[in-house]
Amino acid sequence: MNKKLAAALSGGAVLVLALSGCSDDNGDGKVNAWAKKVCDQAQPQIQKRADAQQTIISTAADGKPADIRAADSKAFQDIAAADSALATAVKEAGTPPVENGEKLQTDAVNELNATAKAYLALKKQVDSLDAKDQQKFADGLQGVADGLKKIETMDQDALKKLQSGELGRAMAKQPGCQAAKKSSPASAPDAPSGPADSSASAPAKAGATPSGKASSKA
């Protein structure tokens, strides 16, 4: 019954400073220094987020409602904490040395804090589910999956801008902003590589569209 959440996770995941690939562009020294400040702090948060997503996916089969509720609650808590820490990393790095850097920084911090708040709301929603009634739990879990899909459609313009242009090229060179390492529990061999771009946090087996629909996996 947790497949709905696993499928929703395979949608266009929230961008959280994880970039795939690398850049050959040497770039500006100040820009590279700013990117390093952010990415050095981002790496453990990117990994935490990927691990939390994996927790949801690995309990997506036929787990007991109480176990699913506990796993999902902790996963949403961890994702919220990671997004909040990423917002702090961007804020503490100072104003990016690019055009409109101050606005870009402020908007990115606000977006990350907004997603953190949204994931905490999902945690509360999961915690309130009735694990003693399997049908009620399944129905409630659908509501949580719907909430997850709404998070993934939240405004991400500032984060996209942060990861494009000169800043994006500089961040792509930093090891700390690379996609998280894969984990491979027996129940979920196709673990996500981490919340990178629009596809990097999607498990290959989920088979859902960016809208989070899971008609064949529900």
Side-chain angles (χ1 to χ4, degrees):
M1 66 180 72
N2 208 35
K3 290 181 179 180
K4 295 180 185 297
L5 261 63
L9 276 176
S10 72
V14 175
L15 299 171
V16 287
L17 310 183
L19 303 173
S20 58
C22 58
S23 172
D24 294 328
D25 185 354
N26 291 327
D28 179 81
K30 292 182 180 180
V31 174
N32 288 334
W34 185 90
K36 187 176 188 305
K37 285 182 181 179
V38 172
C39 295
D40 284 353
Q41 295 185 59
Q43 195 280 328
Q45 307 309 326
I46 292 170
Q47 187 65 54
K48 178 187 288 187
R49 211 174 189 282
D51 290 345
Q53 290 182 340
Q54 183 57 45
T55 295
I56 293 175
I57 294 164
S58 65
T59 57
D62 299 316
K64 296 180 180 179
D67 293 337
I68 292 174
R69 181 176 64 185
D72 291 349
S73 176
K74 183 179 185 304
F76 290 141
Q77 173 70 52
D78 287 349
I79 294 174
D83 284 359
S84 180
L86 286 166
T88 299
V90 174
K91 183 177 181 180
E92 292 183 347
T95 302
V98 295
E99 185 177 358
N100 297 320
E102 184 174 357
K103 184 178 187 303
L104 185 60
Q105 178 195 35
T106 299
D107 291 348
V109 168
N110 288 342
E111 284 180 4
L112 285 165
N113 282 329
T115 58
K117 184 177 180 180
Y119 275 109
L120 285 178
L122 275 189
K123 176 190 176 336
K124 291 181 180 180
Q125 190 173 345
V126 168
D127 289 342
S128 70
L129 297 181
D130 184 357
K132 295 180 180 179
D133 187 314
Q134 188 160 337
Q135 185 57 54
K136 286 183 178 180
F137 183 80
D139 292 343
L141 205 61
Q142 176 61 61
V144 175
D146 291 342
L148 182 58
K149 287 184 286 185
K150 289 180 180 179
I151 291 177
E152 294 184 348
T153 61
M154 290 174 66
D155 183 21
Q156 296 296 312
D157 286 347
L159 287 173
K160 290 177 182 177
K161 290 177 182 177
L162 195 71
Q163 297 180 120
S164 64
E166 191 175 7
L167 282 179
R169 290 192 295 272
M171 292 169 69
K173 293 186 294 183
Q174 299 298 325
C177 278
Q178 297 299 318
K181 295 179 181 179
K182 292 183 179 181
S183 56
S184 54
S187 60
D190 295 320
S193 60
D197 51 24
S198 62
S199 62
S201 66
K205 66 179 181 179
T209 64
S211 65
K213 294 180 180 179
S215 57
S216 63
K217 297 290 181 179

